C-alpha cells in the first residue's frame, strides 16, 4: 500500500513546518476544547433567578407586602385625629413616608443578602469563576428592585384604602414611583456595601435599622416641620428623607415645583455617586 493510500482513509491534514512535513489528523484539530465564552447577561439572569428563588423560600416577598401594612396602621391610626384637628388630610400627608419606610426596609434585606453571600463563601467562589465583576452586585440589586416594586405596590394599595389619592395625574404618579424606587436603589447600594464588608448578617441588619428609624422620625414625613423644636428644624428640613417626602407629597397633589425636585435629584446623584463605587469595590474585593 502506498503512502497516499495509507493516509487517505484517515483524513489527515498536512502542515508544512520549515523543510519538514508533519501530518495532523483533522479529528485532532476539530476535537480541541473550546474556551468558554460567558455572557454577562446570561450570568446576571441566572444569578438574579437564584436570588429571587431564595427570597421566595425565605418569604421575603411576603414581608415586603406586610411591612407597608404595619407602617400604615401603626402611623395612621394614632395620629389621624390629631392631624385632622390641624386641618391636615393625614392620609395624603403620610403616604410618602410610608412608602419611603418600606423602601428603606428593602435596603436591610440587601445588606443581609450580601453579608450572607460573603460569609458562606459564595462571593469568593464567584471571584474564582469566569463571572464578570459587577454581575453578582447587579443581580442583588435587580432582586432588591423587584422586592421594592412589590413593596411599593402594596403601600399604594394600602394608601388608597385609607383615602390617599394621586391628584396630579398619571405622569406625576409615575414620577412618584420613580422617586421612591430611586430612594430604594440608593439605600440598597449602601446596604449592599455594608453587608459585603460585614461578617454577620444579623449585626448588619441591627446596625442599619437604627439610623433609618432616626432619620424617619426626625423628618417631615410624619408631622410638619412646625412640630419640631426650633433648634432641630434645619436638620429635619434638609435631610434626605424630608426632601424626598416633600417631592412625593407635591407629586401626589399635582403641585410639584423645581424647588422641591432639585434637592431630590441632588441627593439621588450624590448617594449613587458615593454608594455605587463603594458597593462595587466591596463586592469585588478579595476577602
Amino acid at each position: 500500500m502506498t503512502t497516499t493510500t495509507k493516509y487517505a482513509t484517515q483524513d489527515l491534514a498536512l502542515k508544512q513546518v520549515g523543510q519538514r512535513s508533519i501530518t495532523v489528523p483533522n479529528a485532532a484539530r476539530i476535537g480541541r476544547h473550546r474556551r468558554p465564552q460567558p455572557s454577562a447577561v446570561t450570568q446576571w439572569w441566572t444569578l438574579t433567578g437564584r436570588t429571587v428563588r431564595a427570597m421566595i423560600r425565605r418569604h421575603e416577598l411576603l414581608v415586603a407586602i406586610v411591612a407597608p401594612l404595619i407602617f400604615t396602621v401603626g402611623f395612621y391610626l394614632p395620629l389621624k385625629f390629631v392631624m385632622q384637628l390641624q386641618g391636615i388630610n393625614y392620609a395624603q400627608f403620610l403616604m410618602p413616608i410610608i412608602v419611603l419606610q418600606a423602601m428603606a426596609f428593602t435596603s436591610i434585606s440587601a445588606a443581609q443578602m450580601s453579608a450572607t453571600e460573603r460569609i458562606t463563601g459564595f462571593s469568593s467562589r464567584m471571584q474564582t469563576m469566569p463571572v464578570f465583576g459587577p454581575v453578582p452586585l447587579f443581580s442583588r440589586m435587580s432582586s432588591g428592585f423587584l422586592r421594592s416594586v412589590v413593596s411599593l405596590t402594596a403601600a399604594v394599595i394600602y394608601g388608597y384604602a385609607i383615602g390617599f389619592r394621586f391628584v396630579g395625574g398619571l405622569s406625576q404618579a409615575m414620577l412618584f414611583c420613580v422617586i421612591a424606587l430611586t430612594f430604594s436603589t440608593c439605600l440598597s447600594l449602601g446596604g449592599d456595601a455594608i453587608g459585603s464588608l460585614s461578617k454577620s448578617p444579623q449585626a448588619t441588619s441591627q446596625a442599619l435599622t437604627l439610623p433609618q428609624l432616626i432619620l424617619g422620625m426626625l423628618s417631615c414625613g410624619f408631622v410638619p416641620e412646625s412640630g419640631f423644636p426650633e433648634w432641630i428644624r434645619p436638620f429635619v428640613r434638609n435631610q434626605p428623607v424630608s426632601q424626598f417626602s416633600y417631592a412625593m407629597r407635591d407629586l401626589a397633589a399635582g403641585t410639584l415645583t423645581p424647588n422641591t425636585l432639585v434637592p431630590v435629584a441632588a441627593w439621588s446623584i450624590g448617594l449613587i455617586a458615593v454608594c455605587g463605587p463603594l458597593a462595587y469595590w466591596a463586592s469585588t474585593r478579595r476577602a
Side-chain angles (χ1 to χ4, degrees), residues 1-12 14 23:
M1 181 182 296
T2 64
T3 303
T4 304
T5 305
K6 178 180 179 180
Y7 290 102
T9 58
Q10 300 180 23
D11 190 23
L12 301 178
L14 185 65
T23 56

Side-chain angles (χ1 to χ4, degrees), residues 86-107:
Q86 301 181 30
I88 297 176
N89 181 349
Y90 199 51
Q92 207 73 14
F93 186 92
L94 184 66
M95 190 61 200
I97 193 63
I98 292 177
V99 172
L100 293 176
Q101 288 290 95
M103 298 299 98
F105 203 73
T106 64
S107 69

Side-chain angles (χ1 to χ4, degrees), residues 186-280:
C186 294
L187 294 187
S188 294
L189 285 170
D192 192 276
I194 294 173
S196 296
L197 297 173
S198 173
K199 297 182 180 180
S200 171
Q202 293 77 17
T204 301
S205 62
Q206 293 171 4
L208 288 175
T209 300
L210 184 59
Q212 292 181 3
L213 286 176
I214 293 175
L215 288 176
M217 295 300 178
L218 294 178
S219 73
C220 297
F222 296 107
V223 296
E225 182 186 342
S226 59
F228 292 91
E230 287 281 351
W231 60 272
I232 202 173
R233 288 182 186 178
F235 171 79
V236 171
R237 180 174 57 252
N238 295 302
Q239 60 120 322
V241 175
S242 293
Q243 295 296 328
F244 276 82
S245 297
Y246 291 148
M248 293 169 69
R249 198 172 292 135
D250 287 352
L251 282 168
T255 59
L256 182 68
T257 63
N259 291 335
T260 54
L261 186 59
V262 169
V264 169
W267 271 111
S268 300
I269 294 172
L271 289 172
I272 291 176
V274 173
C275 296
L278 180 61
Y280 175 75

